[in-house]
Amino acid sequence: MKKWILAAAMLIPAAAFSQLADSTQRLVRMQGTVNFRDVGGYKTSTGKTVTTGRVFRSADVSRLTDKDLQTLEEKHIHTVFDFRGRKEAAAAPDHILPGTRYTLCPAGSDSLPTPAMMADYIKQGGFLEKFYSNITPLGERYKPLFQELLVLPANESVMYHCTGGRDRTGMATALFLYALQVPQETIEADFTASNVYLAPMNARMFQGLQQMTGMSKEQITDAMALKPEYLRIMFDSLKKTYGSVENFFARELGIGEREMRVLRERYTM
């Protein structure tokens, strides 16, 4: 195992190490992107298993190679949801298969902070805590994905992404797995696994933040690492605002009890 993987693994709770080892089986090796993963394979609290080969998550896919496109074809990925902002997406357009059904879902992403603003927020403390507590854009951002999941043909797959494939993508994955009754601990382990898969890319970004903030490498790494409590903040905020996570699904994503049953029938076995 490379040194950077060992270092990044330190950011993952001890209880999640076995889940990370299991999660590596879902990692799709791509030449032009990182953190491309199958969301399936997890056990649910009802004893079922999330279906593999249907739902994928990724970081930026603007630099996919011809070989990567072949992988998309082999996995039947002809539907893509992009959670980046409009300018963010225009600066690095997705390189995906011709004829792909592409949907930009920029809610909440057009107002993301610039690197300089991010540096200021990090120095103030609580940057990611504030990001995950802001649930206002979640309904508009994720409703198109969940509505597509209800009707996606059985022989087709879907992929969603943002830039790093960690925060906006991680929240979408957490909601999807929650809907399928995957235990919270497993959801959190999948979430924090991005610390490992993104370690090389994060190292470059964190170096820039060090220079802008004057903080140490360790301080920046701690401030920017994905932690289980961030998902707990998101779910707690949903419960506080809507009364329950299920109410959020029904009111904002159009996923009521009937639709929940459809998702579970389609994406678990």
Side-chain angles (χ1 to χ4, degrees), residues 2-240:
K2 294 181 179 179
K3 291 182 179 180
W4 60 262
I5 294 181
L6 288 171
M10 298 300 291
L11 300 171
I12 297 181
F17 273 117
S18 61
Q19 189 62 35
L20 176 62
D22 183 43
S23 183
T24 60
Q25 299 175 19
R26 302 177 184 83
L27 187 66
V28 181
R29 301 289 179 181
M30 303 289 268
Q31 296 177 334
T33 191
V34 292
N35 208 20
F36 197 115
R37 288 189 267 157
D38 190 323
V39 179
Y42 293 117
K43 295 292 184 181
T44 73
S45 60
T46 60
K48 294 187 176 183
T49 302
V50 180
T51 306
T52 57
R54 298 296 311 284
V55 181
F56 295 85
R57 56 178 292 175
S58 180
D60 167 46
V61 291
S62 65
R63 298 181 179 181
L64 296 189
T65 65
D66 288 343
K67 183 177 180 181
D68 293 336
L69 294 183
Q70 182 179 346
T71 298
L72 295 186
E73 185 61 60
E74 291 170 352
K75 295 187 178 299
H76 309 288
I77 299 175
H78 304 111
T79 303
V80 172
F81 290 88
D82 183 351
F83 301 136
R84 297 176 298 171
R86 293 174 180 85
K87 290 183 179 179
E88 194 181 1
D94 280 9
H95 184 206
I96 48 184
L97 292 167
T100 294
R101 294 178 60 222
Y102 169 86
T103 304
L104 181 64
C105 306
S109 294
D110 283 327
S111 58
L112 290 180
T114 64
M117 293 169 60
M118 185 184 298
D120 287 337
Y121 294 152
I122 291 172
K123 285 192 290 185
Q124 294 170 17
F127 169 60
L128 287 177
E129 288 87 345
K130 293 172 185 175
F131 180 83
Y132 280 85
S133 67
N134 179 22
I135 61 170
T136 302
L138 301 194
E140 184 180 351
R141 182 190 299 158
Y142 299 129
K143 184 175 182 178
L145 168 64
F146 278 87
Q147 290 301 303
E148 177 63 27
L149 289 171
L150 292 172
V151 299
L152 187 71
N155 62 342
E156 283 292 308
S157 304
V158 65
M159 181 265 287
Y160 52 86
H161 75 94
C162 52
T163 293
R166 43 166 278 168
D167 297 297
R168 291 164 288 182
T169 296
M171 295 166 96
T173 303
L175 291 170
F176 175 65
L177 295 177
Y178 180 95
L180 300 185
Q181 300 175 297
V182 173
Q184 183 72 15
E185 181 181 5
T186 304
I187 294 173
E188 292 172 359
D190 178 86
F191 175 69
T192 54
S194 288
N195 289 324
V196 172
Y197 300 130
L198 294 172
M201 184 176 75
N202 285 344
R204 295 189 292 272
M205 179 179 71
F206 293 174
Q207 186 175 17
L209 289 173
Q210 280 179 250
Q211 296 172 349
M212 287 187 284
T213 61
M215 297 167 66
S216 70
K217 178 181 178 181
E218 290 73 22
Q219 288 174 314
I220 291 295
T221 299
D222 181 68
M224 292 301 296
L226 296 179
K227 302 171 185 176
E229 50 261 40
Y230 297 150
L231 284 187
R232 296 169 197 167
I233 288 172
M234 180 190 77
F235 282 118
D236 286 346
S237 296
L238 292 174
K239 292 173 185 176
K240 181 178 180 180

